[in-house]
Amino acid sequence: MTRTAQRPLLFLDVDGPLIPFGATSRPHPTYGTAPGTPGTGANPLLTRIDPRHGPRLAALPCELVWATTWMEDANAWIAPRIGLPPLPVVHWPEPSEDEAAAGQESRDERDGLHWKTRALVVRAAGRPFVWVDDEITDTDRTWVSAHHPGPALLHRVNPRRGLADSDYTTLDAWLRSLADGA
């Protein structure tokens, strides 16, 4: 498959988009799982993951990629809970001991650029992508616009509610607009 024929990427964070957290006026809903589901009892927040996310994510016209500090644990504990197969995982660069790289990381942090932003643009390698996270800012959007040659949607999810119908509508419309424009 050529680069132009590849589907867009969707970089997906777990904490916030799939596991809602933070103070709310009502308790977060919880969902049961089948006996033997990986992670059952290991992390009480896993019960907040709505299993309907799996089919909704799978229906989007894109390639799903975990972009989370859960790393491979997302495939072990999250994917089975929502009915997804194992997904590719973004492997975050280790903090560099190289002085120039360390200085760049300090500047990024000071300027408000999220620590994931550069790595996601590198991983996308020019392909269109969506980044779904609860920590995206206008600084990240501006930086991606200036440094990524393809289309990109940086979609911030409210971490108190997680992915909602309106988020899926936005993601689906943006991804389908890419296909319509091809």
Side-chain angles (χ1 to χ4, degrees), residues 53 62 82 99-100 107 131-133 138 145 151 182:
H53 286 308
C62 61
I82 60 177
E99 192 171 307
R107 280 190 299 281
W131 174 20
V132 177
D133 204 304
D138 287 340
S145 178

Side-chain angles (χ1 to χ4, degrees), residues 167-182:
D167 298 306
Y168 282 107
T169 299
T170 299
L171 298 173
D172 188 62
W174 190 85
L175 289 162
R176 292 191 189 285
S177 75
L178 292 177
D180 293 344

Side-chain angles (χ1 to χ4, degrees), residues 35-89:
T37 300
T40 300
N43 182 332
L45 296 181
L46 290 174
T47 62
R48 293 182 183 177
I49 300 174
D50 185 339
R52 295 175 292 186
H53 286 308
R56 293 188 84 177
L57 289 164
L60 294 171
C62 61
E63 178 185 332
L64 299 171
V65 179
W66 294 120
T68 174
T69 56
W70 283 73
M71 305 285 292
E72 292 297 338
D73 285 342
N75 281 324
W77 292 15
I78 309 298
R81 295 181 83 80
I82 60 177
L84 290 177
L87 303 175
V89 175

